Amino acid sequence: MDSELAALAASGATTLVSLMVTDSWTHARDLVGRFFSRSGADGIAITDLDTARTRLLAAEATEDTQTTRDITEQWHTYLQRLLQAGSATGDDLRGLLTSLQRIANNSDRQPGTVHNNIGGGVQHGPVIQSGRIAGLTFHVHHVAAPTQD
């Protein structure tokens, strides 16, 4: 295997393992699952991903860095074997890696601080706090206040 593909497999394994312990894992797992499905290795590989994630989460809780290195090496070897067997091409793995890195970059973003203030007295309708709302319509029926005689 040439050095470029070996480096690609190493980078793919590192990115994959780093995403396993993030909130973005579900999305990343779906992408990796489709990649493995195309390469004909989906069933066992998905089970192995889930097992690896469970081990990583347990290792993270005990600050066990050796487990992280072991799992990264396991996936590096697995990706290399896919490339060597011709089950996946360098372009296939590059595409997956690009998608995984995009997910990783988005999961690194920290939300900003949000301060919400509602003013103007008593609110008699819905109050919604959100960053974005699109296509939402409110139908508010105004009830006349009772008059006092």
Side-chain angles (χ1 to χ4, degrees):
M1 171 177 288
D2 70 16
S3 61
E4 180 186 357
L5 290 179
L8 190 60
S11 181
T14 301
T15 303
L16 178 65
V17 171
S18 68
L19 280 168
M20 285 182 182
V21 294
T22 68
D23 291 336
S24 301
W25 174 241
T26 303
H27 183 64
R29 183 184 181 275
D30 290 343
L31 287 173
V32 174
R34 285 194 295 273
F35 174 79
F36 288 150
S37 174
R38 287 190 306 268
S39 67
D42 56 339
I44 294 170
I46 294 300
T47 303
D48 290 346
L49 284 172
D50 293 337
T51 301
R53 181 171 196 261
T54 302
R55 287 179 55 210
L56 279 172
L57 291 172
E60 188 177 71
T62 62
E63 298 180 16
D64 175 9
T65 57
Q66 184 59 47
T67 298
T68 302
R69 286 191 296 269
D70 292 345
I71 291 172
T72 302
E73 182 58 34
Q74 170 193 350
W75 287 103
H76 177 209
T77 301
Y78 187 81
L79 292 173
Q80 280 185 315
R81 286 185 186 148
L82 284 178
L83 292 170
Q84 287 172 336
S87 299
T89 66
D91 288 340
D92 294 336
L93 188 54
R94 260 186 224 91
L96 174 66
L97 185 54
T98 299
S99 297
L100 291 177
Q101 287 171 338
R102 194 173 303 124
I103 292 169
N105 291 338
N106 287 335
S107 71
D108 289 343
R109 293 184 185 158
Q110 296 296 319
T113 303
V114 176
H115 299 280
N116 294 301
N117 296 313
I118 299 173
V122 177
Q123 303 297 315
H124 294 286
V127 176
I128 297 176
Q129 299 175 344
S130 175
R132 287 185 195 166
I133 298 176
L136 185 64
T137 304
F138 286 101
H139 299 283
V140 179
H141 301 283
H142 295 282
V143 178
T147 58
Q148 292 182 334
D149 292 325

